[in-house]
Amino acid sequence: MARSIFGSVVEGLLSESKYKYRSELAKDIGIPKTTFSNWIHGRHKPEYNAVLAIAQRLNTGKSRQYRELVFLLVDALAMDEATRQERAKK
């Protein structure tokens, strides 16, 4: 179970993709499973090129859907960052 908005979005998209497990997506992108897990749980933020790779793998072939996936993933990262900053103020 993801603890970040980004992780929840990725897990939701995984259920609609050809990937059955998160580890398959991590392997296909070419990153260690632990790094991918850290992104899902909000312990670290992925770089933008990793977000593009995730969107590319989860895309079903339509260019419009790819752009929407990138926007959705980047927006989730922004919401996670806003949450972190709000917690830091308290």
Side-chain angles (χ1 to χ4, degrees):
M1 182 92 183
R3 284 192 254 153
S4 70
I5 298 168
F6 177 78
S8 297
V9 169
V10 170
E11 287 182 345
L13 293 171
L14 276 174
S15 65
E16 302 170 7
S17 73
K18 67 178 183 175
Y19 297 101
K20 188 173 180 180
Y21 301 106
R22 294 183 310 201
S23 60
E24 293 174 338
L25 178 58
K27 182 180 178 185
D28 202 17
I29 294 171
I31 58 166
K33 290 186 285 187
T34 54
T35 301
F36 193 72
S37 179
N38 285 335
W39 294 346
I40 297 298
H41 293 288
R43 292 187 282 269
H44 301 290
K45 290 189 312 186
E47 294 182 16
Y48 191 68
N49 59 351
V51 172
L52 295 178
I54 292 169
Q56 180 182 14
R57 299 306 190 287
L58 295 177
N59 187 15
T60 58
K62 300 175 184 171
S63 63
R64 181 176 183 164
Q65 182 189 19
Y66 173 73
R67 289 191 302 266
E68 291 171 357
L69 287 171
V70 170
F71 176 76
L72 185 64
L73 293 171
V74 170
D75 191 45
L77 284 173
M79 288 189 293
D80 280 337
E81 185 60 29
T83 303
R84 270 191 220 95
Q85 290 180 2
E86 188 64 35
R87 286 184 193 152
K89 288 180 182 179
K90 292 180 181 182

